[in-house]
Amino acid sequence: MTGRQTIPAVTDSADVVILGAGPAGLTLGNLLLAAGIDCVVLERADRRHVQTRARAGFLAAHTVRVLDRHGLSDGLHRRGLPHGTCEFRTDGGRFRLDYGALGLGERHTVYPQQDLVTDLLTHYLAAGGRIRFETEALTVDDAAGARPTVTVRDPEGRPGRWRARYVAGCDGRHGAARRSLPAAARHQRDHGVSWLGLLAEAPPSLDAVGYALHERGFAGHMARTPEVTRYYLQCERGTAPDAWSEERIWDELGLRMRTAEHGPLHQGRIIQRSVIDLQSDVMETLRHGSLLLAGDAASLPAPAAAKGANLAVLEAELLAEALIDDLAHGDPAALDRYSPRCLAHIWRAQEFSHWMIQLLHAPYASDGEALFHESLRRSRIESLRTSRAHQEWFAENYVGI
Ligand code: RFL
């Protein structure tokens, strides 16, 4: 024994090493592959986990256009459902906004994220794409230089190393890409609010996204498929996901969604639950030498406005175009523009998401200002109910990206 640390051997290389097989990484992988760029996707989880991880469901029109452009949208056109209405419920009654007929006239397509990821993965593999499941990226090294490397742990726990010309950090909020960057690169905000996020084996109860503003806290209803509905219940920070019984969940949903006034909810088994602390952050900048960030690794918008998966797809297309320009045509200009182009979309999404959070939750402040803020919130709701101009603005930002 020499006592010296074992240096993992270089196991392989690719021009672009993509970390993470979520919407960002798989969209990028498909676009690079179609352009003949040598790439590989390294994914920490196994294939089953990647294809069953239920998260987003509301795809913006821009997202659908990107997927259309690259022949990646067959599944969502076959099984996705167009959606263009939301309903607000308050102690003053309820009102609907047909946002699909307002603003730019765009609608969402409701398509579960795990189905989109499955489609992207199937397409990538059929086109001959390389992917390594159960391969965790540990660090990205030498990102400042022209030959970055990624240190990995393979499915047997053995160390390895990938050499690249560029590394695309699409490995989410807790991935290796972010870990390899200075903490100062991150701007963040904790909204101080938590949600119990639920998937119920029950058909949607409204033909609209439901936002219930109640003195007991916010409740939300979002269709996922004809058989499955996502619900949200605002809860105390620190609540354990299994702390509430199913009975308490349905009672609370019923109260906050005011089913006594507006009709019952279809109930069913709760098949997934998680607690989401509403936090937002942005990595500024998205480029650190040869390491480029996309998706949740680049910015995390709190899920109040359904922007995360949509930003992931938008950024993946911009990053693919920039990498293709550089690697296939020797033109680095688009790579230089990548970060500022994305940040314009990211901050717009963050601003709207922040606005939604303030709309949906009563202020926590216990001082005299709470009443002031609550009155502003009521006025904002009233404006949204009555002002056509405000509704147009809402619609454009709600579906837009
Ligand atoms: P993902 O989907 O998190 O994928 C990252 C992948 O990286 C892998 N990974 C690693 N791989 C290798 N080495 C490592 N060290 C790794 N660390 C992680 C992970 O296993 C994973 O496979 O990131 P991506 O691609 O950036 O996509 C982002 C979206 O997933 C996310 O923004 C959305 O789900 C947010 N979101 C929504 N977005 C929408 O646009 N519309 C919605 O309706 C919507 N609803 C939601 C949401 C997020 C939610 N949660 C759980 C926060 C609803 C919820 C409840």
Side-chain angles (χ1 to χ4, degrees):
M1 296 288 285
T2 62
R4 265 185 297 154
Q5 207 185 345
T6 312
I7 306 291
V10 172
T11 53
D12 218 330
S13 67
D15 280 347
V16 183
V17 172
I18 301 169
L19 312 183
L26 288 171
T27 302
L28 177 62
N30 274 296
L31 271 51
L32 293 180
L33 197 61
I37 303 289
D38 170 40
C39 62
V40 66
V41 178
L42 308 179
E43 167 56 51
R44 181 182 57 187
D46 63 21
R47 183 170 179 176
R48 198 195 64 81
H49 180 84
V50 165
Q51 292 188 203
T52 53
R53 198 166 68 124
R55 303 185 86 192
F58 275 62
L59 301 182
H62 180 273
T63 305
V64 176
R65 284 195 293 271
V66 172
L67 299 170
D68 280 343
R69 265 201 286 280
H70 302 286
L72 299 168
S73 56
D74 286 1
L76 74 86
H77 286 302
R78 254 184 289 122
R79 299 190 301 277
L81 299 169
H83 195 101
T85 309
C86 58
E87 177 173 309
F88 290 87
R89 295 184 176 184
T90 70
D91 55 6
R94 65 176 167 176
F95 65 92
R96 291 191 150 214
L97 291 183
D98 286 326
Y99 62 82
L102 295 159
L104 300 178
E106 295 185 334
R107 302 206 284 174
H108 284 114
T109 300
V110 182
Y111 192 56
Q113 180 168 325
Q114 64 274 30
D115 293 354
L116 175 65
V117 164
T118 299
D119 295 349
L120 292 171
L121 180 59
T122 306
H123 197 275
Y124 180 72
L125 291 173
R130 284 196 287 167
I131 186 163
R132 302 283 184 273
F133 288 106
E134 297 178 76
T135 298
E136 183 180 10
L138 302 175
T139 56
V140 181
D141 302 308
D142 304 325
R147 293 300 282 171
T149 56
V150 180
T151 307
V152 300
R153 189 164 36 215
D154 81 1
E156 280 76 44
R158 289 179 309 223
R161 188 173 282 180
W162 282 80
R163 199 176 283 279
R165 290 179 67 187
Y166 290 104
V167 177
C170 305
D171 51 347
R173 186 184 181 193
H174 303 292
R178 277 190 170 202
R179 270 203 310 277
S180 306
L181 295 172
R186 180 171 165 224
H187 306 305
Q188 58 185 318
R189 180 177 171 88
D190 186 335
H191 302 278
V193 175
S194 297
W195 287 358
L196 187 55
L198 306 157
L199 274 184
E201 209 170 47
S205 300
L206 314 176
D207 57 350
V209 181
Y211 294 112
L213 283 59
H214 196 277
E215 62 193 18
R216 298 173 69 89
F218 162 72
H221 161 287
M222 283 166 204
R224 279 296 184 261
T225 69
E227 300 83 29
V228 173
T229 306
R230 190 173 269 294
Y231 285 100
Y232 295 112
L233 277 168
Q234 186 180 352
C235 62
E236 289 285 324
R237 182 61 59 96
T239 302
D242 55 1
W244 292 27
S245 66
E246 293 210 3
E247 192 185 0
R248 180 172 175 198
I249 286 168
W250 289 112
D251 284 352
E252 204 62 38
L253 283 170
L255 268 173
R256 297 187 192 184
M257 297 206 62
R258 297 182 163 85
T259 51
E261 282 165 71
H262 305 306
L265 303 174
H266 296 301
Q267 299 193 6
R269 202 163 56 91
I270 304 294
I271 51 174
Q272 192 211 61
R273 35 169 101 206
S274 60
V275 171
I276 306 152
D277 294 335
L278 267 60
Q279 295 167 336
S280 308
D281 65 30
V282 179
M283 298 296 284
E284 191 147 6
T285 142
L286 273 51
R287 180 175 183 186
H288 299 261
S290 307
L291 170 60
L292 297 121
L293 306 177
D296 280 7
S299 94
L300 185 82
K307 299 292 183 202
N310 293 300
L311 280 173
V313 171
L314 178 146
E315 290 155 14
E317 188 188 43
L318 291 179
L319 182 53
E321 287 169 0
L323 287 168
I324 293 164
D325 272 4
D326 184 76
L327 291 168
H329 309 297
D331 179 359
L335 268 182
D336 293 338
R337 286 197 307 270
Y338 171 68
S339 182
R341 283 186 79 186
C342 291
L343 283 166
H345 294 277
I346 286 172
W347 281 114
R348 184 177 172 195
Q350 288 285 1
E351 194 278 324
F352 184 69
S353 166
H354 190 245
W355 182 89
M356 281 292 279
I357 288 167
Q358 290 188 322
L359 185 82
L360 300 179
H361 306 95
Y364 272 117
S366 53
D367 55 34
E369 289 192 6
L371 191 58
F372 184 87
H373 286 292
E374 180 57 11
S375 301
L376 289 183
R377 188 165 83 112
R378 285 178 178 274
S379 173
R380 190 177 288 163
I381 283 281
E382 189 53 16
S383 170
L384 195 55
R385 189 177 73 80
T386 54
S387 158
R388 176 79 184 196
H390 203 167
Q391 293 169 359
E392 301 275 6
W393 171 87
F394 172 85
E396 188 175 330
N397 282 278
Y398 190 58
V399 209
I401 192 78

